[in-house]
Amino acid sequence: MVFFDYPDKLPDSYVGFWGPVTATIDWCEENYILSPYIAEVVNSFTNFAFVALAIYHLYSTYKNQFGGLYVYISLGFASVGIGSFLFHMTLLYEYQLMDELPMVYVTALPFGYIFSWNQPPVKRYLWRIGTFVVTALFTYIYIFVHRDPTIHQIFYAILNFGVIYKTIKTIHSVVTDPASRKTLYKMLVLAVSLFIFGFFIWNMDFVLCSQLTDVRRNILGLPLGVFTEGHGWWHIFTGLGVYYFIIYNQILSTWMSGRQDSYKLVWHGIFAEVQLQKEKDE
């Protein structure tokens, strides 16, 4: 059912409020079609999924005493959403970097931590400094040498697969309770599945862009057409995937620190929280 027709298609020569597109990537959503001030409305506002989940996780981290690492991860999680909002709103290269680079940095934190954990002091130092140096080198290359987004995607994937590989090895070495192992594996599968599903929808949006645009304009109209913006769904599913991946790492961290008996995984509807349990009076 069409409630409202889409505005007329803008000419290719149209320059929006933020000026010519300087980003190295442009998405399927028609630029400035719904607002003269926001290049991609749906792709912009779906980033609030990141920000909302990050704010909740920051509150949970503070309440449940998870310390500085997860505070930084929560803030990095929120910065990805803010940077991505600015990127899709403006399609300017400097804001593209504010989207892409925080994704790398927020993943490099647990990467350096998990690989340095339980290592002798020298190896621990080398892993953390090495992670910082390699991440800084990637940043320099990506900004000043070669701006191909594929480089960003490959480096980001390496960090994620590294964290997954090392955390699975750590589960085998420190998690002695079979039920807890099962819970960790379920949480990991949930997080990765959400990533993969969001990535699939994003790619369908890319491959079938002209067909989807035609369906939006000639069949669905507004507001139903916005639900076919695949990159917007990628933001939502990726946000959820990141959230559950952080929860997975938090559960494991309680075992790594020997505090597993003080914490419990609690579900609030579809959202999970690793909750510090109050000590009972003796």
Side-chain angles (χ1 to χ4, degrees):
M1 177 186 290
V2 176
F3 293 96
F4 302 99
D5 290 331
Y6 268 80
D8 293 337
K9 193 174 182 67
L10 296 171
D12 293 338
S13 59
Y14 179 83
V15 176
F17 177 80
W18 300 100
V21 173
T22 58
T24 60
I25 313 173
D26 200 350
W27 311 100
C28 183
E29 185 175 358
E30 294 181 75
N31 297 346
Y32 293 103
I33 200 68
L34 297 178
S35 168
Y37 305 106
I38 302 176
E40 299 174 343
V41 171
V42 178
N43 288 349
S44 295
F45 283 98
T46 48
N47 283 291
F48 284 110
F50 281 88
V51 178
L53 289 168
I55 290 172
Y56 177 74
H57 188 265
L58 181 62
Y59 164 73
S60 176
T61 294
Y62 175 77
K63 181 181 71 172
N64 296 302
Q65 302 175 22
F66 269 101
L69 175 64
Y70 286 97
V71 169
Y72 290 127
I73 289 174
S74 297
L75 293 174
F77 188 15
S79 72
V80 171
I82 294 169
S84 185
F85 174 84
L86 294 172
F87 168 36
H88 288 286
M89 180 176 72
T90 65
L91 292 179
L92 298 179
Y93 179 67
E94 53 266 38
Y95 293 118
Q96 178 181 341
L97 294 178
M98 287 181 64
D99 173 14
E100 294 174 331
L101 294 180
M103 292 169 60
V104 169
Y105 302 152
V106 78
T107 311
L109 282 171
F111 181 94
Y113 172 76
I114 192 69
F115 276 93
S116 65
W117 176 77
N118 213 27
Q119 296 283 356
V122 173
K123 283 190 175 181
R124 183 166 62 246
Y125 177 82
L126 288 175
W127 267 112
R128 294 181 180 180
I129 294 299
T131 301
F132 173 81
V133 169
V134 171
T135 303
L137 180 61
F138 154 77
T139 303
Y140 175 80
I141 292 171
Y142 189 52
I143 294 176
F144 298 108
V145 179
H146 199 55
R147 294 182 175 184
D148 186 352
T150 305
I151 295 176
H152 168 266
Q153 292 164 9
I154 291 172
F155 189 70
Y156 181 62
I158 289 171
L159 289 173
N160 275 288
F161 282 120
V163 173
I164 292 171
Y165 164 77
K166 188 60 176 178
T167 53
I168 290 174
K169 284 195 68 175
T170 306
I171 289 171
H172 284 285
S173 65
V174 303
V175 181
T176 56
D177 176 46
S180 296
R181 282 190 180 188
K182 188 175 181 179
T183 297
L184 279 161
Y185 290 140
K186 283 182 176 179
M187 196 63 67
L188 178 60
V189 168
L190 174 61
V192 173
S193 297
L194 287 164
F195 269 110
I196 292 173
F197 185 65
F199 187 71
F200 171 77
I201 294 178
W202 170 19
N203 276 272
M204 289 300 98
D205 189 58
F206 176 74
V207 173
L208 302 174
C209 181
S210 60
Q211 294 92 326
L212 287 170
T213 301
D214 185 65
V215 168
R216 280 193 282 271
R217 283 193 160 277
N218 300 317
I219 299 176
L220 295 177
L222 289 169
L224 297 181
V226 302
F227 293 102
T228 64
E229 296 287 359
H231 194 73
W233 285 110
W234 156 254
H235 290 154
I236 293 170
F237 284 110
T238 302
L240 288 169
V242 170
Y243 179 82
Y244 291 122
F245 191 61
I246 296 172
I247 296 295
Y248 158 79
N249 280 275
Q250 279 187 309
I251 298 170
L252 179 58
S253 73
T254 65
W255 283 87
M256 292 164 64
S257 61
R259 298 186 298 158
Q260 66 273 11
D261 293 333
S262 300
Y263 286 87
K264 181 181 179 181
L265 181 65
V266 177
W267 287 89
H268 309 290
I270 64 170
F271 299 104
E273 178 184 24
V274 186
Q275 200 171 85
L276 180 64
Q277 300 300 292
K278 294 181 180 179
E279 294 183 5
K280 295 181 180 179
D281 296 331
E282 294 183 358

